[in-house]
Amino acid sequence: MLAETRLLSEADGDPVAVDNPQGRGDVLLVCEHASRLLPASFGSMGLSEEALASHIAWDPGALAVSRLMARQLDAVLVYQRFSRLVYDCNRPPDSPGAIRDVSEVFRIPANENLSDSEKAARAKAIYFPFQNRIADEIAARAARGQPTVLVTVHSFTPVYFGAQRAVEIGILHDRDSRLADRMLDAAADTGLYRIERNEPYGPADGVTHTLVLHAEPAGLLNVMIEIRNDLIENEIGQGVAADFLSGLLRESLQQP
């Protein structure tokens, strides 16, 4: 569909961005689905404005919550600048979910019938710079003796394939459940949100890729947070969620 050299232009800028790069907190925040922005060469990808504004293109509210948490925790925040419609950075290149031609009820015309070379070009332009930036940050922190707790922040739609989701915040983990266990224990006495383990997704859905890639091999504490996006659609909801989650992380990380 697109020549490899035309995926990103100078005007598009880098695929990955970093907020608070000098942060000295232990937490490293990552937001893989931060943006609905499309590179100029992709046009609208054949989609309506409704689809481009929906959860298939990004995680609404996730970046805003992540930025508030970065300030509260003095955390470095690494996030993706382009829509997951182009490439989902929480999926490896061999995953069918990395570049979807159908997402929920929406066909994605620009992703149909891609060749292996076209898929590889997207991974080269989007996925590898993003994941390499996370790896570089972790390595630099280790070199200067700064601990790393990897926390990824996402949001999810309250209605999926017509079914209502009751869960409000999901605390997700793969094989390493240490931090998730602590957070769930700390949240047990709170009544602000309905919180569940590995909901509305879990490891079987492939959503823990970034955690498995970077945290588990190094033995780093890690967790993935999912927030129902109707709860963070405005600044008030975003602020409440960020305060709650930052406090939950602080309390959990103080435990031995």
Side-chain angles (χ1 to χ4, degrees), residues 58-184:
W58 64 320
D59 283 358
L63 179 59
V65 172
S66 297
R67 283 176 159 159
L68 291 171
M69 292 175 67
R71 293 178 204 152
Q72 294 168 2
L73 299 168
D74 193 21
V76 176
L77 166 61
V78 180
Y79 66 94
Q80 173 54 241
R81 292 190 57 248
F82 296 112
S83 170
R84 64 176 165 194
L85 291 170
V86 179
Y87 189 99
D88 185 338
C89 282
N90 198 27
R91 299 293 191 280
D94 61 353
S95 168
I99 303 173
R100 296 180 182 273
D101 55 10
V102 177
S103 184
E104 197 182 9
V105 298
F106 295 97
R107 257 187 67 233
I108 307 169
N111 289 350
E112 294 176 340
N113 302 313
L114 295 180
S115 67
D116 288 344
S117 62
E118 287 172 322
K119 293 177 182 178
R122 292 203 197 177
K124 180 179 178 181
I126 305 289
Y127 170 82
F128 287 107
F130 179 75
Q131 295 293 357
N132 288 344
R133 181 63 185 83
I134 297 170
D136 290 345
E137 176 63 29
I138 293 172
R141 294 160 73 96
R144 61 177 177 259
Q146 181 179 2
T148 296
V149 176
L150 185 60
V151 178
T152 64
V153 180
H154 294 254
S155 72
F156 64 94
T157 180
V159 180
Y160 190 59
F161 282 106
Q164 292 279 344
R165 288 162 154 172
V167 59
E168 296 179 318
I169 290 180
I171 303 297
L172 283 62
H173 61 85
D174 206 278
R175 293 179 295 272
D176 180 1
S177 68
R178 292 173 296 166
L179 183 53
D181 291 343
R182 296 181 195 179
M183 292 178 70
L184 288 162

